[in-house]
Amino acid sequence: MSTNEYNSVVVEHFTARADHYDASSAWCTDDALGARVFELSGADASSRVLDVACGTGLVSRVFKGRVAEIVGIDITPAMYAQAAPHLDRFVEGPGEALPFPDNSFDIVTCRQGTQFMDDAAAIREMFRVVRPGGRVCVINLCAYDEADKAEYYEVLRLRNPARKNFYMREDLQRLFEQAGGKDVVVHDYISVEDVDVWSDNKAIGEDRREGIRTIYRTGSADFRSHHAVEIADNGRIVDHMLFGIAVGKG
């Protein structure tokens, strides 16, 4: 599949999800996660910030009014149409070819975006456009380790068939270091998610949702332990999902 064909698949998927996206996961509007990202970014009132794959502006809103400028970039009109209140400026475009000069920003962020990109190219671009000493902060769901990787990757694939990349913490570390990032650290953040709510993203059918439930019900002891899976008497399933927050300096 060519890049243009794949991007069309991504746009179609997120167009279907756009109206529901902000309510599709607890982490979408988690103020504690937003505060942690702001803290790790090192942002202050003088910072110029770029939010790659800004979507509906859920990361941008953390920075709006607290920095000198927050700029968003995305490829899905139905998503970024909702981001306007959270941005000072918007540019349409892909993360792999950011339309900005070198050293344009103090901070570059991207949450859950590189899983739909040529991630190595996108992260190289993030480090290209951040100034020397500035910070790149990329946040992605991660498997805990090899013991839960296969089952969790299948859960993520079922929920989002447009996804092309799956991560463990060390993958983020490697991508940053290959892009020239300095002082790279990957921080943990745990998000508690109701699997029925999380899987109901309005872009997949009930067969995929039931496939996700089946993995949680019948998963290995390692998978269930790592994710601290809780299954209530009424069948509701709770997962403790791991985010890796990778931070590196340009």
Side-chain angles (χ1 to χ4, degrees):
M1 184 183 296
S2 71
T3 298
N4 286 340
E5 289 171 333
Y6 176 71
N7 284 348
S8 294
V9 170
V10 173
V11 170
E12 180 180 2
H13 176 85
F14 282 100
T15 297
R17 292 182 60 184
D19 289 344
H20 180 69
Y21 187 84
D22 291 6
S24 63
S25 303
W27 59 260
C28 282
T29 53
D30 182 352
D31 290 337
L33 176 56
R36 183 65 171 144
V37 170
F38 187 88
E39 174 193 13
L40 291 172
S41 76
D44 61 30
S46 67
S47 300
R48 297 187 68 243
V49 182
L50 175 65
D51 184 11
V52 177
C54 68
T56 61
L58 291 174
V59 175
S60 301
R61 69 174 187 152
V62 174
F63 293 91
K64 180 64 185 283
R66 304 169 72 185
V67 296
E69 183 180 36
I70 173 70
V71 180
I73 183 168
D74 204 293
I75 63 171
T76 304
M79 292 282 283
Y80 66 68
Q82 302 180 49
H86 310 300
L87 297 169
D88 296 310
R89 183 159 57 99
F90 175 79
V91 178
E92 182 174 337
E96 300 94 332
L98 297 172
F100 306 103
D102 296 356
N103 310 327
S104 294
F105 297 94
D106 301 296
I107 297 161
V108 181
T109 67
C110 182
R111 188 172 75 181
Q112 291 287 88
T114 63
Q115 60 196 338
F116 307 104
M117 302 176 189
D118 177 339
D119 52 5
I123 291 173
R124 283 196 302 270
E125 279 289 272
M126 294 179 203
F127 278 101
R128 179 185 65 79
V129 302
V130 80
R131 65 167 175 79
R135 295 188 189 183
V136 174
C137 182
V138 171
I139 308 100
N140 277 306
L141 284 170
C142 292
Y144 283 85
D145 61 29
E146 291 288 343
D148 75 308
K149 182 172 78 170
E151 289 159 294
Y152 193 50
Y153 284 6
E154 180 62 8
V155 165
L156 296 178
R157 185 193 69 81
L158 286 167
R159 183 184 186 251
N160 197 323
R163 181 192 303 266
K164 69 188 321 184
N165 300 310
F166 302 85
Y167 298 109
M168 293 197 298
R169 302 172 185 90
E170 50 264 44
D171 297 316
L172 301 179
Q173 182 90 24
R174 173 181 50 81
L175 286 163
F176 269 50
E177 291 174 351
Q178 289 177 344
K182 302 178 182 68
D183 302 329
V184 180
V185 180
V186 181
H187 305 265
D188 288 357
Y189 186 87
I190 306 299
S191 182
V192 181
E193 298 288 344
D194 181 316
V195 171
D196 272 322
V197 174
W198 178 79
S199 65
D200 186 19
N201 64 11
K202 310 305 181 186
I204 60 172
E206 184 58 28
D207 57 335
R208 283 180 174 267
R209 295 186 68 208
E210 185 55 29
I212 291 169
R213 296 186 195 103
T214 297
I215 292 171
Y216 283 98
R217 292 176 187 134
T218 64
S220 68
D222 282 338
F223 172 77
R224 290 163 64 95
S225 174
H226 278 31
H227 291 258
V229 175
E230 302 169 12
I231 302 179
D233 291 341
N234 65 2
R236 302 296 282 188
I237 302 168
V238 172
D239 184 359
H240 293 71
M241 297 183 181
L242 170 67
F243 279 95
I245 307 174
V247 182
K249 293 181 181 179

